[in-house]
Amino acid sequence: AAGWDDAPEGALEVVLPMNGGKLRRLGLLVPENGVYRTVKLYAAKKADKFMGEVQVGQWSDWVYDNMLDDKGVKRPVAYKLRLFELAEDGSKLELYVSSACRLEADPNYTYPREIGQELLDHCGPIVNASNAGRPYAEIGQETWALNLDWCADAINYLLDNKPWDLFYCHLHAIDVANHNMLSDVVPESPRYERFYPLLVKYYENIDQVLGKLMKQLDKGDTTIFVVSDHAGLPRQFGYPKPLIADSWGIVVDIMRELGFTKTIKDENGVTQIDWEHTTAVSQRSGYIYVNLKGREPHGIVEPADYEATLDKIIDALYAYRDPQTHERIVDAILKPAAMEAVGLYGEHVGDLYFTLHHHFCQDHASSFSSEEAYGFSMRCLFFAAGPGVKKNTVMERRVRQVDIVPTICALQEGPVPDKCEGGIIYQMIE
C-alpha cells in the first residue's frame, strides 16, 4: 500500500470494481500480528476516513456510498460487504458486495408511492437476495436471512402504524432454496453435509420472521395464517435431470427427439423453435401445448386432428425411456377433461398435463401432491392461530389452497365471494 495517509505498516491495497465497473473503490488489507484478516473500504487513498470495514467470515455494517444509475445519475445508496475469504498472507481475496439499496425510494416500486420512503426511513436499507450462485450458496442463505429480517420489521411497522383489515405477505426464500439445492440434500449426495444444514437454515429464517410477527397475536383481534403454495421433491440420487418439465419455459430436448418440436439456428447461432414444423411444445412444468391452427400465431395442427395429436403425444411419452436409467420418465398424462378433476382448467392451461415419476422430480416436482421421497413430500403447509381458531388442535381434514379465502371470510363474519371454489374449514373454527 503506497500513498495512503493512514495505512499501517505491512498493509496491502486492492482496487475493487463497483457499480457494474462504472466506479472504483479501494480496499486496504490490514495486518494483525502479521496475518491479514480485515479489509477497509475507501473512496480514495487521501480520504479522511474509511467507508466501511469487514473481517474475514463476517458481514460489515451498512456502507453508505453514491453510485450511478442506468442514466448516469449519481444516487445515494447503501450496501453491505461480506469477506468470504482472505488468505493469511493477503495473496487472495474473495469479497462479496451486496446489492445496492437506493436511499431515495423509487416511487414506481410501491403503492401508495410514499410508503417506500417511509419504510426505508423506519426500517433501514434492504439487502436483496444474492444471485452469486451455487459456489457461494452460503452467501445466498445469509442474504436471504438479512432480507427476511427486514421484511419482518417492515410488516410489523405497517401492521402497527397503518389501518388494515387483511394483510398478505409472500416470502420466497424456501422456494429458491429448493430450486438451488433440493437434489443435493439427499444422504447419498457428496454435497449433503454442506447443503442440508443450509436448507435447514432457510426454514429457521422463516421461523424467525414468524417469531417477530407473533406479537400481533397479543392485540387480541388478529389471526395469523401460514400457508405454502407448493412443495418440492429431490430427484433420486444418480438420476439425471429430465429434459422435459421445467418451470422456466420451453424445454425442447425430449419433445424434439420424439419429433413434435422442431428447432433451427438463427443468424446468431441461437436455437429457435421452427414453428412452421412444430406440432407441440412442453412448457411451464408439466404442460404440453399443441400448435393448433386458428389458436396459435403459427399453428399447423388442424382442429380435426387435435384429438389424434393428443393421443400420439401420450403414446410417445409413455413409451419414452430415459437413456441412462432405461426407466419411464412420465408417470401420468391427463387430457383436458381429466385435468379439470385436479383443478386445472381455464384458457391458460395446456392441452395435456403430465406428471414425472418421482425418481426424476425437479423444481416444483411436476408430480401429484401425494408424492413423497427421502422424507420430503409435495404436501403443502397450513396452520393458523388467533381469535376464532381452535387451540392445540391437529385437523384430520385435508386443507386445499382454495379453502383459505372462504375461511378468512368466515372468521371476519363476512360474505364468501360467489366465485369462490373452496369450502370453509369448519374443523379449525372455535
Side-chain angles (χ1 to χ4, degrees):
W4 294 73
D5 287 343
D6 62 349
E9 184 177 352
L12 302 175
E13 67 182 48
V14 59
V15 176
L16 301 171
M18 305 277 275
N19 199 186
K22 298 173 186 175
L23 299 175
R24 286 182 171 187
R25 295 292 178 255
L26 296 170
L28 193 66
L29 281 61
V30 180
E32 301 172 22
N33 299 321
V35 175
Y36 294 92
R37 298 192 56 80
T38 303
V39 174
K40 293 185 176 182
L41 187 72
Y42 287 80
K45 292 186 178 183
K46 299 296 184 180
D48 293 337
K49 59 180 181 179
F50 57 85
M51 304 166 64
E53 68 175 324
V54 60
Q55 291 193 329
V56 65
Q58 297 182 6
W59 284 90
S60 71
D61 293 330
W62 285 107
V63 177
Y64 293 93
D65 201 346
N66 291 285
M67 289 190 176
L68 302 174
D69 66 14
D70 293 339
K71 298 180 180 179
V73 178
K74 190 173 286 188
R75 304 281 189 182
V77 299
Y79 52 87
K80 283 178 175 280
L81 307 173
R82 167 68 151 84
L83 191 49
F84 204 73
E85 181 181 345
L86 179 58
E88 291 187 355
D89 63 357
S91 61
K92 182 181 180 182
L93 166 73
E94 287 193 351
L95 180 71
Y96 176 77
V97 183
S98 79
S99 58
C101 176
R102 272 180 58 175
L103 300 179
E104 304 166 320
D106 187 333
N108 297 313
Y109 270 61
T110 56
Y111 183 87
R113 290 191 169 192
E114 62 273 12
I115 200 70
Q117 192 62 52
E118 188 175 342
L119 287 172
L120 282 176
D121 292 342
H122 286 86
C123 304
I126 313 164
V127 171
N128 277 337
S130 166
N131 60 357
R134 285 171 62 88
Y136 300 96
E138 289 79 6
I139 293 287
Q141 182 272 320
E142 291 172 14
T143 50
W144 265 114
L146 293 168
N147 181 277
L148 291 168
D149 193 57
W150 186 93
C151 288
D153 291 342
I155 292 167
N156 272 328
Y157 172 78
L158 293 170
L159 296 179
D160 291 341
N161 295 280
K162 304 294 179 184
W164 63 280
D165 296 302
L166 182 63
F167 188 98
Y168 280 90
C169 67
H170 170 79
L171 304 174
H172 207 65
I174 291 175
D175 179 286
V176 173
N178 282 343
H179 280 293
N180 288 342
M181 63 182 73
L182 196 54
S183 288
D184 280 320
V185 298
V186 299
E188 298 96 326
S189 170
R191 292 180 283 270
Y192 173 83
E193 296 292 337
R194 178 187 177 194
F195 283 128
Y196 187 84
L198 275 180
L199 184 63
V200 171
K201 285 183 179 179
Y202 277 91
Y203 281 86
E204 291 174 346
N205 295 150
I206 296 292
D207 285 345
Q208 288 157 5
V209 174
L210 291 175
K212 283 193 169 185
L213 298 182
M214 291 289 281
K215 74 165 195 166
Q216 299 297 331
L217 294 175
D218 296 337
K219 296 178 179 179
D221 61 352
T222 301
T223 301
I224 296 177
F225 281 65
V226 180
V227 185
S228 59
D229 59 334
H230 62 78
L233 288 180
R235 286 196 308 280
Q236 186 79 13
F237 182 73
Y239 278 63
K241 183 175 182 178
L243 300 177
I244 195 170
D246 192 287
S247 296
W248 312 116
I250 295 174
V251 186
V252 300
D253 302 76
I254 289 178
M255 292 293 283
R256 181 171 56 192
E257 183 179 340
L258 295 174
F260 299 110
T261 301
K262 302 292 184 181
T263 60
I264 54 176
K265 299 280 188 178
D266 65 16
E267 60 273 12
N268 298 315
V270 177
T271 301
Q272 304 282 357
I273 290 179
D274 178 5
W275 291 107
E276 305 301 329
H277 301 93
T278 288
T279 303
V281 294
S282 171
Q283 183 191 11
R284 296 192 305 134
S285 294
Y287 283 125
I288 288 176
Y289 291 82
V290 172
N291 193 18
L292 189 64
K293 184 180 290 188
R295 185 186 69 183
E296 307 299 340
H298 308 285
I300 66 169
V301 177
E302 296 289 345
D305 298 329
Y306 177 73
E307 283 294 331
T309 301
L310 295 184
D311 289 336
K312 187 176 180 181
I313 296 171
I314 291 171
D315 290 343
L317 286 177
Y318 274 138
Y320 185 83
R321 294 294 188 272
D322 172 68
Q324 178 177 320
T325 66
H326 307 294
E327 293 184 13
R328 192 175 72 197
I329 290 178
V330 170
D331 214 19
I333 309 175
L334 306 180
K335 287 185 176 181
M339 287 161 55
E340 187 170 341
V342 293
L344 300 176
Y345 54 88
E347 61 180 325
H348 298 301
V349 298
D351 298 293
L352 292 172
Y353 180 78
F354 64 89
T355 63
L356 297 174
H357 189 282
H358 70 262
H359 286 170
F360 295 95
C361 282
Q362 64 177 11
D363 295 327
H364 299 172
S366 297
S367 64
F368 290 123
S369 58
S370 53
E371 287 282 9
E372 298 183 2
Y374 289 105
F376 294 87
S377 83
M378 279 300 295
R379 301 183 193 278
C380 290
L381 179 75
F382 170 77
F383 56 89
V389 177
K390 289 180 180 177
K391 296 177 176 58
N392 304 316
T393 301
V394 178
M395 292 184 299
E396 296 291 332
R397 167 176 172 165
R398 296 190 179 192
V399 174
R400 300 176 302 158
Q401 290 166 354
V402 291
D403 298 335
I404 305 302
V405 168
T407 304
I408 291 173
C409 294
L411 286 171
Q412 292 188 313
E413 298 181 351
V416 175
D418 59 1
K419 297 269 180 24
C420 199
E421 298 180 23
I424 296 170
I425 310 170
Y426 289 107
Q427 293 87 342
M428 65 166 275
I429 296 177
E430 203 165 45

